[in-house]
Amino acid sequence: MRPAAYRIRRVFPLLALLSTAAALTSDSWGQEVRVSASDLKIEGVDGKKKIRVSLRLADAATVSVAAAKLQTVSGETVLPVTWKAFDSLQPANCAWLVVVDNSNPARQRTIAACADETRTFLKLLPKGDAVMIASLARDLVVVAPFGSTSSQQEAALAGMKADGDASLTTLIFQNVKHALGDHLARRDETRRCVVLLTDGKDETPGGPLRVTERRNELIAEAKRLGVAVHTLGFAEKATEANYFADLKELSVQTDGVHLPADVTSRRLPDDTWPTLIGAMHSGGTAVLDVSSLIEAAPVKLELTSESGRKASVAIPSDVVERVLHVDPPPALALQSTEPQSEDMSPMMPLWGWGVVGVVLLAVIALASRRNKTGTVVDTNKRASPVREEPVAAPKKPTPQPSASVVENTSVPPAYLELVDGKKTRHTVMAKGVKIGSGKHNDIVLKDDSVSETHCLITMTNGEWTIADLESANGLRVNGTYYHQASLNPGDEIELGEVKMRFVAE
Protein backbone atom coordinates (compact mmCIF):
# COMPACT_ATOMS: atom_id res chain seq x y z
CA MET A 1 0.00 0.00 0.00
CA ARG A 2 1.31 3.43 -0.93
CA PRO A 3 0.45 6.04 1.80
CA ALA A 4 -1.19 9.36 1.01
CA ALA A 5 2.01 11.11 2.14
CA TYR A 6 3.72 9.94 -1.00
CA ARG A 7 1.13 11.51 -3.26
CA ILE A 8 2.27 14.86 -1.87
CA ARG A 9 5.71 14.21 -3.31
CA ARG A 10 4.31 13.88 -6.83
CA VAL A 11 4.59 17.60 -7.50
CA PHE A 12 5.38 18.60 -11.07
CA PRO A 13 6.18 15.01 -12.10
CA LEU A 14 7.13 16.01 -15.65
CA LEU A 15 9.70 18.49 -14.33
CA ALA A 16 11.08 15.81 -12.01
CA LEU A 17 11.39 13.40 -14.93
CA LEU A 18 13.16 15.99 -17.06
CA SER A 19 15.56 16.97 -14.26
CA THR A 20 16.39 13.31 -13.62
CA ALA A 21 17.12 12.74 -17.29
CA ALA A 22 19.26 15.89 -17.43
CA ALA A 23 21.26 14.79 -14.38
CA LEU A 24 21.82 11.36 -15.90
CA THR A 25 23.02 12.94 -19.13
CA SER A 26 25.44 15.13 -17.19
CA ASP A 27 26.82 12.17 -15.28
CA SER A 28 27.19 10.04 -18.39
CA TRP A 29 28.70 12.56 -20.78
CA GLY A 30 30.49 15.08 -18.57
CA GLN A 31 34.21 15.53 -18.99
CA GLU A 32 35.13 14.59 -15.43
CA VAL A 33 34.96 11.00 -14.17
CA ARG A 34 34.16 10.66 -10.47
CA VAL A 35 36.68 8.86 -8.26
CA SER A 36 35.06 6.65 -5.62
CA ALA A 37 35.87 8.20 -2.24
CA SER A 38 35.39 4.94 -0.31
CA ASP A 39 37.83 3.08 -2.60
CA LEU A 40 40.52 5.79 -2.66
CA LYS A 41 43.71 4.97 -0.74
CA ILE A 42 46.88 7.09 -0.72
CA GLU A 43 49.97 5.73 1.06
CA GLY A 44 53.75 5.72 0.95
CA VAL A 45 55.69 2.73 -0.34
CA ASP A 46 57.75 1.26 2.51
CA GLY A 47 61.36 2.44 2.54
CA LYS A 48 61.06 4.26 -0.79
CA LYS A 49 60.33 7.80 -1.91
CA LYS A 50 57.23 6.67 -3.75
CA ILE A 51 53.49 7.17 -3.30
CA ARG A 52 50.91 4.46 -4.08
CA VAL A 53 47.38 5.58 -5.09
CA SER A 54 44.69 2.88 -5.32
CA LEU A 55 41.31 3.95 -6.69
CA ARG A 56 38.06 2.99 -8.39
CA LEU A 57 36.23 5.14 -10.93
CA ALA A 58 32.48 5.61 -10.49
CA ASP A 59 31.73 4.47 -14.04
CA ALA A 60 33.15 2.12 -16.65
CA ALA A 61 35.96 4.38 -17.90
CA THR A 62 39.17 2.56 -18.86
CA VAL A 63 42.36 4.47 -18.00
CA SER A 64 44.79 4.84 -20.92
CA VAL A 65 47.13 7.56 -19.61
CA ALA A 66 48.30 8.34 -16.04
CA ALA A 67 50.35 11.47 -15.30
CA ALA A 68 51.47 13.27 -12.12
CA LYS A 69 52.59 16.88 -11.82
CA LEU A 70 53.06 19.58 -9.23
CA GLN A 71 53.40 23.35 -9.33
CA THR A 72 56.35 24.95 -7.52
CA VAL A 73 58.00 28.37 -7.55
CA SER A 74 60.39 27.18 -10.23
CA GLY A 75 57.56 25.93 -12.45
CA GLU A 76 55.69 22.73 -13.22
CA THR A 77 57.37 19.39 -12.48
CA VAL A 78 56.26 16.11 -14.06
CA LEU A 79 56.82 12.96 -11.98
CA PRO A 80 57.31 9.38 -13.22
CA VAL A 81 54.15 7.25 -12.84
CA THR A 82 53.52 3.53 -13.32
CA TRP A 83 49.89 2.39 -13.71
CA LYS A 84 48.33 -1.05 -13.25
CA ALA A 85 44.66 -1.62 -14.07
CA PHE A 86 42.45 -3.27 -11.43
CA ASP A 87 41.89 -6.45 -13.45
CA SER A 88 45.67 -7.00 -13.67
CA LEU A 89 45.99 -7.03 -9.87
CA GLN A 90 45.41 -9.99 -7.56
CA PRO A 91 42.80 -10.52 -6.35
CA ALA A 92 40.56 -8.49 -8.70
CA ASN A 93 37.04 -9.52 -7.74
CA CYS A 94 33.73 -8.15 -6.48
CA ALA A 95 30.84 -9.38 -4.31
CA TRP A 96 27.40 -8.46 -5.72
CA LEU A 97 24.13 -8.38 -3.79
CA VAL A 98 21.25 -8.13 -6.30
CA VAL A 99 17.97 -7.08 -4.64
CA VAL A 100 14.68 -7.23 -6.58
CA ASP A 101 11.77 -5.27 -5.09
CA ASN A 102 8.81 -7.63 -5.60
CA SER A 103 6.31 -5.74 -3.46
CA ASN A 104 2.72 -5.10 -4.64
CA PRO A 105 0.93 -7.99 -6.42
CA ALA A 106 0.04 -5.62 -9.30
CA ARG A 107 3.70 -5.40 -10.41
CA GLN A 108 4.10 -8.93 -11.83
CA ARG A 109 5.09 -7.70 -15.29
CA THR A 110 7.80 -5.50 -13.76
CA ILE A 111 9.08 -8.33 -11.53
CA ALA A 112 9.39 -10.60 -14.55
CA ALA A 113 11.39 -7.88 -16.35
CA CYS A 114 13.70 -7.54 -13.31
CA ALA A 115 14.28 -11.29 -13.32
CA ASP A 116 15.19 -11.16 -17.04
CA GLU A 117 17.60 -8.28 -16.42
CA THR A 118 19.26 -10.30 -13.64
CA ARG A 119 19.69 -13.24 -16.04
CA THR A 120 21.48 -10.91 -18.46
CA PHE A 121 23.80 -9.80 -15.65
CA LEU A 122 24.63 -13.38 -14.62
CA LYS A 123 25.74 -14.18 -18.19
CA LEU A 124 28.21 -11.26 -18.07
CA LEU A 125 29.47 -11.83 -14.50
CA PRO A 126 33.31 -11.80 -14.49
CA LYS A 127 35.10 -14.94 -13.39
CA GLY A 128 36.01 -14.70 -9.72
CA ASP A 129 33.08 -12.47 -8.80
CA ALA A 130 30.40 -13.71 -6.38
CA VAL A 131 26.67 -12.93 -6.43
CA MET A 132 23.73 -13.25 -4.05
CA ILE A 133 20.11 -12.71 -5.15
CA ALA A 134 17.38 -11.51 -2.78
CA SER A 135 13.76 -10.43 -3.06
CA LEU A 136 12.31 -7.51 -1.12
CA ALA A 137 8.64 -7.10 -0.26
CA ARG A 138 8.10 -6.39 3.39
CA ASP A 139 11.37 -8.09 4.37
CA LEU A 140 14.51 -8.92 2.43
CA VAL A 141 14.65 -12.66 1.68
CA VAL A 142 17.70 -14.38 0.19
CA VAL A 143 16.58 -16.63 -2.67
CA ALA A 144 20.03 -17.56 -4.04
CA PRO A 145 22.93 -17.17 -1.55
CA PHE A 146 26.59 -16.69 -2.42
CA GLY A 147 27.98 -19.87 -3.92
CA SER A 148 24.73 -20.95 -5.59
CA THR A 149 25.02 -22.84 -8.86
CA SER A 150 23.65 -21.40 -12.10
CA SER A 151 20.71 -23.82 -11.96
CA GLN A 152 19.90 -22.72 -8.40
CA GLN A 153 20.04 -19.07 -9.46
CA GLU A 154 17.73 -19.77 -12.41
CA ALA A 155 15.27 -21.61 -10.17
CA ALA A 156 15.24 -18.64 -7.77
CA LEU A 157 14.57 -16.16 -10.59
CA ALA A 158 11.87 -18.37 -12.14
CA GLY A 159 10.10 -18.56 -8.80
CA MET A 160 10.26 -14.82 -8.11
CA LYS A 161 6.72 -13.46 -8.07
CA ALA A 162 5.07 -10.21 -7.11
CA ASP A 163 3.62 -11.79 -4.00
CA GLY A 164 3.96 -8.89 -1.59
CA ASP A 165 0.96 -7.84 0.47
CA ALA A 166 -0.25 -4.38 -0.58
CA SER A 167 -1.57 -3.84 2.95
CA LEU A 168 1.96 -4.04 4.39
CA THR A 169 4.64 -1.35 4.18
CA THR A 170 7.78 -1.76 2.06
CA LEU A 171 10.90 -0.68 3.96
CA ILE A 172 13.47 -0.49 1.17
CA PHE A 173 16.27 1.49 2.78
CA GLN A 174 16.05 -0.16 6.21
CA ASN A 175 16.14 -3.69 4.76
CA VAL A 176 19.05 -2.97 2.44
CA LYS A 177 20.98 -1.40 5.33
CA HIS A 178 20.56 -4.59 7.38
CA ALA A 179 21.61 -6.67 4.37
CA LEU A 180 24.95 -4.84 4.20
CA GLY A 181 25.91 -6.06 7.66
CA ASP A 182 24.30 -9.47 7.35
CA HIS A 183 25.59 -10.46 3.92
CA LEU A 184 28.35 -8.15 2.59
CA ALA A 185 30.40 -6.96 5.57
CA ARG A 186 32.33 -10.21 5.98
CA ARG A 187 32.95 -10.93 2.30
CA ASP A 188 36.62 -11.33 1.27
CA GLU A 189 36.30 -9.89 -2.23
CA THR A 190 38.31 -6.74 -2.97
CA ARG A 191 35.17 -4.74 -3.80
CA ARG A 192 31.51 -5.03 -2.78
CA CYS A 193 28.28 -3.55 -4.10
CA VAL A 194 24.48 -3.69 -4.08
CA VAL A 195 22.30 -3.58 -7.21
CA LEU A 196 18.78 -2.52 -6.24
CA LEU A 197 15.98 -2.97 -8.82
CA THR A 198 12.98 -1.07 -7.43
CA ASP A 199 10.22 1.47 -7.98
CA GLY A 200 11.75 3.58 -5.19
CA LYS A 201 8.56 3.70 -3.10
CA ASP A 202 9.90 3.33 0.43
CA GLU A 203 6.95 3.35 2.83
CA THR A 204 8.64 3.93 6.17
CA PRO A 205 5.97 5.14 8.64
CA GLY A 206 6.29 8.83 9.47
CA GLY A 207 6.24 10.36 6.00
CA PRO A 208 8.92 11.77 3.67
CA LEU A 209 11.17 13.10 6.44
CA ARG A 210 11.38 9.67 8.03
CA VAL A 211 12.10 8.11 4.62
CA THR A 212 14.97 10.57 4.14
CA GLU A 213 16.36 9.60 7.56
CA ARG A 214 16.31 5.91 6.62
CA ARG A 215 17.97 6.68 3.27
CA ASN A 216 20.73 8.67 4.98
CA GLU A 217 21.29 5.85 7.47
CA LEU A 218 21.80 3.46 4.55
CA ILE A 219 24.21 5.92 2.90
CA ALA A 220 26.25 6.22 6.11
CA GLU A 221 26.44 2.44 6.55
CA ALA A 222 27.43 1.89 2.91
CA LYS A 223 30.20 4.49 3.20
CA ARG A 224 31.44 2.91 6.43
CA LEU A 225 31.69 -0.51 4.79
CA GLY A 226 32.94 0.81 1.44
CA VAL A 227 29.95 -0.59 -0.47
CA ALA A 228 28.70 1.02 -3.69
CA VAL A 229 24.90 1.02 -4.15
CA HIS A 230 23.71 0.93 -7.77
CA THR A 231 20.00 1.71 -8.24
CA LEU A 232 17.90 0.71 -11.26
CA GLY A 233 14.51 2.43 -11.30
CA PHE A 234 11.40 0.63 -12.59
CA ALA A 235 8.42 3.00 -12.64
CA GLU A 236 4.92 1.71 -13.39
CA LYS A 237 3.96 5.09 -14.89
CA ALA A 238 5.96 8.04 -16.23
CA THR A 239 4.54 10.25 -13.49
CA GLU A 240 6.19 8.07 -10.82
CA ALA A 241 9.75 8.97 -11.86
CA ASN A 242 9.93 11.49 -8.99
CA TYR A 243 10.36 8.52 -6.63
CA PHE A 244 13.78 8.04 -8.21
CA ALA A 245 15.18 11.16 -6.51
CA ASP A 246 16.06 9.23 -3.34
CA LEU A 247 17.54 6.40 -5.42
CA LYS A 248 19.75 8.74 -7.42
CA GLU A 249 20.98 10.49 -4.24
CA LEU A 250 21.74 7.10 -2.69
CA SER A 251 23.87 6.09 -5.69
CA VAL A 252 25.65 9.43 -5.95
CA GLN A 253 26.59 9.45 -2.26
CA THR A 254 27.90 5.86 -2.35
CA ASP A 255 29.72 6.23 -5.70
CA GLY A 256 27.27 3.98 -7.47
CA VAL A 257 25.35 4.28 -10.76
CA HIS A 258 21.64 5.14 -11.15
CA LEU A 259 19.77 4.23 -14.34
CA PRO A 260 16.01 4.18 -15.06
CA ALA A 261 14.24 1.53 -17.13
CA ASP A 262 11.93 2.42 -20.00
CA VAL A 263 8.40 2.73 -18.58
CA THR A 264 6.66 1.09 -21.55
CA SER A 265 8.98 -1.85 -22.22
CA ARG A 266 10.34 -2.24 -18.65
CA ARG A 267 13.80 -2.64 -20.23
CA LEU A 268 17.04 -1.05 -19.05
CA PRO A 269 19.45 0.65 -21.47
CA ASP A 270 21.48 -1.90 -23.43
CA ASP A 271 24.79 -0.93 -21.81
CA THR A 272 23.48 -1.05 -18.21
CA TRP A 273 25.21 -4.24 -17.06
CA PRO A 274 28.51 -3.62 -18.89
CA THR A 275 28.50 -0.17 -17.25
CA LEU A 276 27.95 -1.55 -13.75
CA ILE A 277 30.52 -4.34 -14.19
CA GLY A 278 32.96 -1.88 -15.70
CA ALA A 279 32.45 0.52 -12.77
CA MET A 280 33.19 -2.19 -10.21
CA HIS A 281 36.27 -3.37 -12.15
CA SER A 282 37.52 0.11 -13.11
CA GLY A 283 40.52 2.01 -11.82
CA GLY A 284 43.66 0.40 -10.48
CA THR A 285 46.91 1.46 -8.80
CA ALA A 286 49.32 4.27 -9.66
CA VAL A 287 52.82 4.50 -8.16
CA LEU A 288 54.41 7.97 -8.20
CA ASP A 289 58.20 8.44 -7.88
CA VAL A 290 58.89 11.64 -5.90
CA SER A 291 62.60 11.03 -5.25
CA SER A 292 63.58 13.90 -7.56
CA LEU A 293 61.75 16.51 -5.47
CA ILE A 294 63.75 18.90 -3.29
CA GLU A 295 60.77 20.29 -1.40
CA ALA A 296 57.25 19.03 -0.71
CA ALA A 297 54.24 20.40 -2.57
CA PRO A 298 50.74 19.17 -3.48
CA VAL A 299 50.76 16.67 -6.35
CA LYS A 300 47.95 16.16 -8.86
CA LEU A 301 47.43 12.71 -10.36
CA GLU A 302 45.57 12.93 -13.68
CA LEU A 303 43.99 9.93 -15.39
CA THR A 304 42.71 10.00 -18.96
CA SER A 305 40.27 7.39 -20.28
CA GLU A 306 40.20 5.90 -23.75
CA SER A 307 37.31 8.23 -24.62
CA GLY A 308 39.23 11.31 -23.49
CA ARG A 309 37.40 11.85 -20.21
CA LYS A 310 39.54 12.76 -17.21
CA ALA A 311 39.70 12.01 -13.51
CA SER A 312 42.03 13.58 -10.97
CA VAL A 313 43.26 12.93 -7.44
CA ALA A 314 44.90 15.60 -5.26
CA ILE A 315 47.74 14.33 -3.06
CA PRO A 316 48.30 16.69 -0.09
CA SER A 317 51.74 18.17 0.53
CA ASP A 318 51.97 16.59 3.99
CA VAL A 319 51.83 13.12 2.39
CA VAL A 320 54.62 14.12 0.02
CA GLU A 321 56.58 15.55 2.97
CA ARG A 322 56.40 12.28 4.91
CA VAL A 323 57.49 10.25 1.88
CA LEU A 324 60.43 12.58 1.11
CA HIS A 325 61.73 12.26 4.67
CA VAL A 326 61.28 8.52 4.96
CA ASP A 327 63.90 6.98 7.27
CA PRO A 328 66.42 4.63 5.64
CA PRO A 329 66.33 0.95 6.61
CA PRO A 330 67.86 0.34 10.11
CA ALA A 331 70.72 -1.80 8.73
CA LEU A 332 71.90 1.04 6.50
CA ALA A 333 71.43 3.68 9.19
CA LEU A 334 73.99 1.96 11.46
CA GLN A 335 76.70 2.04 8.83
CA SER A 336 78.86 5.10 8.21
CA THR A 337 81.38 5.68 5.45
CA GLU A 338 82.65 9.02 6.79
CA PRO A 339 86.12 9.05 8.52
CA GLN A 340 86.22 9.51 12.27
CA SER A 341 87.04 13.09 13.32
CA GLU A 342 90.28 13.76 15.23
CA ASP A 343 88.54 15.09 18.36
CA MET A 344 86.54 11.89 18.82
CA SER A 345 87.46 10.00 22.02
CA PRO A 346 89.72 6.97 21.41
CA MET A 347 88.53 3.46 22.23
CA MET A 348 89.09 2.39 25.84
CA PRO A 349 92.06 -0.06 26.26
CA LEU A 350 91.47 -3.58 27.61
CA TRP A 351 92.97 -2.84 31.05
CA GLY A 352 90.45 0.01 31.43
CA TRP A 353 87.54 -2.39 30.99
CA GLY A 354 89.07 -4.59 33.71
CA VAL A 355 89.09 -1.70 36.21
CA VAL A 356 85.44 -0.91 35.40
CA GLY A 357 84.47 -4.54 36.02
CA VAL A 358 86.19 -4.65 39.44
CA VAL A 359 84.44 -1.44 40.54
CA LEU A 360 81.02 -2.75 39.48
CA LEU A 361 81.50 -6.00 41.41
CA ALA A 362 82.47 -4.07 44.54
CA VAL A 363 79.37 -1.87 44.32
CA ILE A 364 77.09 -4.90 43.90
CA ALA A 365 78.64 -6.71 46.89
CA LEU A 366 78.31 -3.63 49.13
CA ALA A 367 74.67 -3.13 48.17
CA SER A 368 73.89 -6.78 48.89
CA ARG A 369 75.55 -6.59 52.33
CA ARG A 370 73.60 -3.45 53.26
CA ASN A 371 70.30 -5.02 52.27
CA LYS A 372 70.91 -8.00 54.55
CA THR A 373 71.62 -5.76 57.56
CA GLY A 374 68.69 -3.47 56.88
CA THR A 375 70.77 -0.23 56.65
CA VAL A 376 69.57 0.60 53.15
CA VAL A 377 66.24 -1.17 52.74
CA ASP A 378 64.16 -1.87 55.83
CA THR A 379 62.80 -5.18 54.63
CA ASN A 380 61.87 -6.30 58.19
CA LYS A 381 59.57 -3.31 58.58
CA ARG A 382 57.89 -3.88 55.24
CA ALA A 383 57.45 -7.60 55.78
CA SER A 384 56.28 -7.52 59.42
CA PRO A 385 52.55 -7.29 58.66
CA VAL A 386 52.84 -10.46 56.61
CA ARG A 387 54.71 -12.41 59.27
CA GLU A 388 52.23 -11.54 62.06
CA GLU A 389 49.58 -13.80 60.49
CA PRO A 390 50.21 -17.51 59.96
CA VAL A 391 50.21 -18.57 56.35
CA ALA A 392 47.11 -20.70 55.77
CA ALA A 393 46.96 -23.52 53.27
CA PRO A 394 45.56 -22.32 49.93
CA LYS A 395 41.83 -22.88 49.51
CA LYS A 396 39.98 -23.67 46.32
CA PRO A 397 38.48 -20.38 45.13
CA THR A 398 34.71 -20.07 45.15
CA PRO A 399 33.37 -19.13 41.69
CA GLN A 400 31.82 -15.65 41.60
CA PRO A 401 29.44 -14.36 38.94
CA SER A 402 31.36 -12.48 36.26
CA ALA A 403 31.26 -11.78 32.54
CA SER A 404 33.74 -14.59 31.90
CA VAL A 405 31.65 -17.06 33.87
CA VAL A 406 28.34 -16.32 32.16
CA GLU A 407 29.90 -16.84 28.76
CA ASN A 408 30.88 -20.37 29.79
CA THR A 409 28.86 -23.16 28.26
CA SER A 410 28.14 -24.44 31.79
CA VAL A 411 25.52 -21.72 32.25
CA PRO A 412 22.05 -23.32 31.99
CA PRO A 413 20.23 -22.23 28.86
CA ALA A 414 17.03 -20.21 28.93
CA TYR A 415 14.01 -20.83 26.72
CA LEU A 416 11.47 -18.93 24.67
CA GLU A 417 8.10 -20.61 24.99
CA LEU A 418 5.58 -19.73 22.28
CA VAL A 419 2.13 -18.77 23.50
CA ASP A 420 0.47 -20.84 20.78
CA GLY A 421 -1.30 -23.62 22.64
CA LYS A 422 1.50 -26.05 21.82
CA LYS A 423 3.99 -24.20 24.07
CA THR A 424 6.80 -24.77 21.57
CA ARG A 425 10.18 -24.10 23.18
CA HIS A 426 13.31 -22.58 21.59
CA THR A 427 16.64 -22.77 23.43
CA VAL A 428 18.47 -19.50 24.23
CA MET A 429 22.19 -19.85 24.95
CA ALA A 430 24.29 -17.36 26.92
CA LYS A 431 26.47 -16.53 23.90
CA GLY A 432 23.42 -14.92 22.29
CA VAL A 433 20.80 -15.74 19.67
CA LYS A 434 19.32 -13.78 16.78
CA ILE A 435 15.59 -14.05 16.20
CA GLY A 436 13.68 -13.26 13.02
CA SER A 437 11.90 -14.63 9.98
CA GLY A 438 15.08 -15.03 7.91
CA LYS A 439 16.72 -18.43 7.62
CA HIS A 440 20.07 -17.07 8.84
CA ASN A 441 18.72 -16.52 12.37
CA ASP A 442 19.31 -18.86 15.32
CA ILE A 443 15.56 -18.90 16.00
CA VAL A 444 13.39 -18.62 12.87
CA LEU A 445 9.80 -17.40 13.31
CA LYS A 446 7.80 -17.76 10.11
CA ASP A 447 5.33 -14.92 10.52
CA ASP A 448 4.71 -11.88 8.31
CA SER A 449 4.77 -9.56 11.34
CA VAL A 450 8.33 -10.62 12.26
CA SER A 451 11.20 -8.85 10.47
CA GLU A 452 13.95 -10.84 8.77
CA THR A 453 16.34 -9.95 11.62
CA HIS A 454 14.08 -8.79 14.45
CA CYS A 455 15.95 -8.91 17.78
CA LEU A 456 18.90 -10.31 19.73
CA ILE A 457 18.98 -11.97 23.19
CA THR A 458 22.28 -12.17 25.07
CA MET A 459 23.63 -12.55 28.60
CA THR A 460 25.85 -9.73 29.86
CA ASN A 461 27.38 -9.68 33.35
CA GLY A 462 24.96 -12.36 34.49
CA GLU A 463 21.84 -10.61 33.18
CA TRP A 464 19.68 -11.60 30.22
CA THR A 465 18.91 -8.72 27.84
CA ILE A 466 16.91 -8.36 24.64
CA ALA A 467 17.55 -5.69 21.98
CA ASP A 468 15.47 -4.64 18.98
CA LEU A 469 17.44 -4.70 15.69
CA GLU A 470 15.46 -1.88 14.05
CA SER A 471 12.55 -4.19 13.27
CA ALA A 472 9.46 -2.93 11.45
CA ASN A 473 6.92 -3.72 14.19
CA GLY A 474 9.16 -3.20 17.21
CA LEU A 475 9.76 -5.14 20.41
CA ARG A 476 7.41 -5.30 23.42
CA VAL A 477 8.15 -6.74 26.85
CA ASN A 478 5.13 -7.15 29.14
CA GLY A 479 3.11 -4.88 26.84
CA THR A 480 5.63 -1.98 26.70
CA TYR A 481 7.75 -1.08 23.67
CA TYR A 482 11.51 -1.18 24.26
CA HIS A 483 14.64 -0.72 22.20
CA GLN A 484 16.55 -2.74 24.82
CA ALA A 485 15.34 -4.32 28.05
CA SER A 486 16.39 -6.74 30.79
CA LEU A 487 14.61 -10.08 30.90
CA ASN A 488 13.31 -11.90 33.95
CA PRO A 489 11.73 -15.36 34.13
CA GLY A 490 8.07 -15.16 33.14
CA ASP A 491 8.37 -11.98 31.03
CA GLU A 492 6.11 -11.93 27.98
CA ILE A 493 7.84 -10.92 24.74
CA GLU A 494 5.96 -9.77 21.62
CA LEU A 495 7.59 -9.60 18.19
CA GLY A 496 4.88 -8.25 15.93
CA GLU A 497 1.98 -10.63 16.43
CA VAL A 498 4.10 -13.46 17.86
CA LYS A 499 3.95 -13.84 21.65
CA MET A 500 6.51 -15.75 23.71
CA ARG A 501 7.29 -16.28 27.38
CA PHE A 502 10.86 -16.09 28.68
CA VAL A 503 11.72 -19.14 30.81
CA ALA A 504 15.00 -19.36 32.76
CA GLU A 505 16.21 -21.45 35.69
Side-chain angles (χ1 to χ4, degrees), residues 258-329:
H258 170 75
L259 291 170
D262 181 78
V263 176
T264 303
S265 66
R266 307 293 204 276
R267 306 306 304 178
L268 291 165
D270 291 340
D271 62 347
T272 295
W273 295 110
T275 297
L276 296 189
I277 293 172
M280 295 312 300
H281 282 257
S282 68
T285 299
V287 177
L288 290 63
D289 188 341
V290 298
S291 59
S292 62
L293 298 181
I294 300 175
E295 59 181 11
V299 175
K300 184 178 182 181
L301 173 65
E302 291 185 345
L303 306 173
T304 305
S305 69
E306 293 177 346
S307 61
R309 300 174 65 197
K310 295 183 180 296
S312 61
V313 175
I315 303 174
S317 58
D318 60 331
V319 175
V320 181
E321 177 75 21
R322 288 197 299 271
V323 173
L324 286 176
H325 293 85
V326 62
D327 293 332

Side-chain angles (χ1 to χ4, degrees), residues 129-325:
D129 284 14
V131 63
M132 170 185 282
I133 304 173
S135 62
L136 173 59
R138 182 180 174 279
D139 295 317
L140 188 144
V141 179
V142 176
V143 296
F146 287 113
S148 297
T149 64
S150 56
S151 59
Q152 290 171 331
Q153 293 170 342
E154 174 55 34
L157 293 173
M160 191 172 290
K161 307 296 181 183
D163 56 358
D165 188 342
S167 65
L168 298 175
T169 56
T170 304
L171 309 177
I172 299 174
F173 301 131
Q174 176 178 304
N175 277 293
V176 174
K177 175 192 170 186
H178 289 321
L180 297 185
D182 292 342
H183 305 300
L184 282 182
R186 292 182 293 274
R187 295 300 300 180
D188 295 330
E189 287 76 12
T190 308
R191 293 174 178 175
R192 298 165 293 180
C193 72
V194 173
V195 181
L196 177 60
L197 299 86
T198 178
D199 59 5
K201 297 179 182 179
D202 188 293
E203 298 168 337
T204 297
L209 291 178
R210 188 59 175 159
V211 171
T212 300
E213 288 179 7
R214 290 297 196 189
R215 182 203 68 191
N216 292 341
E217 289 171 1
L218 170 56
I219 290 173
E221 183 68 0
K223 286 183 175 181
R224 186 182 72 83
L225 296 175
V227 175
V229 181
H230 307 293
T231 54
L232 306 177
F234 286 80
E236 297 299 310
K237 296 180 290 186
T239 54
E240 295 181 347
N242 58 313
Y243 289 108
F244 294 168
D246 280 328
L247 299 181
K248 186 174 187 299
E249 182 67 13
L250 171 59
S251 292
V252 169
Q253 292 295 329
T254 61
D255 299 310
V257 175
H258 170 75
L259 291 170
D262 181 78
V263 176
T264 303
S265 66
R266 307 293 204 276
R267 306 306 304 178
L268 291 165
D270 291 340
D271 62 347
T272 295
W273 295 110
T275 297
L276 296 189
I277 293 172
M280 295 312 300
H281 282 257
S282 68
T285 299
V287 177
L288 290 63
D289 188 341
V290 298
S291 59
S292 62
L293 298 181
I294 300 175
E295 59 181 11
V299 175
K300 184 178 182 181
L301 173 65
E302 291 185 345
L303 306 173
T304 305
S305 69
E306 293 177 346
S307 61
R309 300 174 65 197
K310 295 183 180 296
S312 61
V313 175
I315 303 174
S317 58
D318 60 331
V319 175
V320 181
E321 177 75 21
R322 288 197 299 271
V323 173
L324 286 176
H325 293 85

Side-chain angles (χ1 to χ4, degrees), residues 289-490:
D289 188 341
V290 298
S291 59
S292 62
L293 298 181
I294 300 175
E295 59 181 11
V299 175
K300 184 178 182 181
L301 173 65
E302 291 185 345
L303 306 173
T304 305
S305 69
E306 293 177 346
S307 61
R309 300 174 65 197
K310 295 183 180 296
S312 61
V313 175
I315 303 174
S317 58
D318 60 331
V319 175
V320 181
E321 177 75 21
R322 288 197 299 271
V323 173
L324 286 176
H325 293 85
V326 62
D327 293 332
L332 298 177
L334 293 175
Q335 299 176 4
S336 175
T337 57
E338 296 184 6
Q340 190 178 38
S341 61
E342 295 182 0
D343 59 346
M344 187 176 293
S345 300
M347 182 180 293
M348 183 183 294
L350 292 178
W351 62 265
W353 287 112
V355 172
V356 172
V358 171
V359 172
L360 287 177
L361 289 174
V363 171
I364 293 172
L366 180 60
S368 175
R369 183 169 176 271
R370 289 185 176 180
N371 283 342
K372 291 180 180 179
T373 59
T375 56
V376 177
V377 180
D378 192 356
T379 55
N380 289 331
K381 184 176 181 180
R382 290 185 181 182
S384 57
V386 179
R387 294 194 183 106
E388 288 176 358
E389 296 293 334
V391 180
K395 297 181 180 180
K396 185 177 180 180
T398 303
Q400 298 295 327
S402 65
S404 60
V405 174
V406 298
E407 291 295 332
N408 193 285
T409 55
S410 63
V411 175
Y415 303 93
L416 289 178
E417 186 178 86
L418 293 178
V419 183
D420 59 357
K422 299 179 182 179
K423 293 186 177 181
T424 305
R425 279 194 171 191
H426 296 282
T427 304
V428 180
M429 304 302 294
K431 65 180 181 180
V433 294
K434 277 188 177 181
I435 306 171
S437 59
K439 295 180 180 179
H440 62 280
N441 292 285
D442 301 297
I443 298 178
V444 180
L445 302 176
K446 289 297 183 181
D447 191 281
D448 290 340
S449 65
V450 178
S451 295
E452 184 182 10
T453 305
H454 201 112
C455 66
L456 173 69
I457 296 181
T458 57
M459 175 179 275
T460 306
N461 295 327
E463 181 180 58
W464 291 100
T465 59
I466 185 169
D468 181 37
L469 299 179
E470 299 188 29
S471 62
N473 291 323
L475 161 70
R476 286 193 291 180
V477 178
N478 297 327
T480 302
Y481 280 101
Y482 288 96
H483 177 69
Q484 181 171 323
S486 299
L487 289 177
N488 297 307

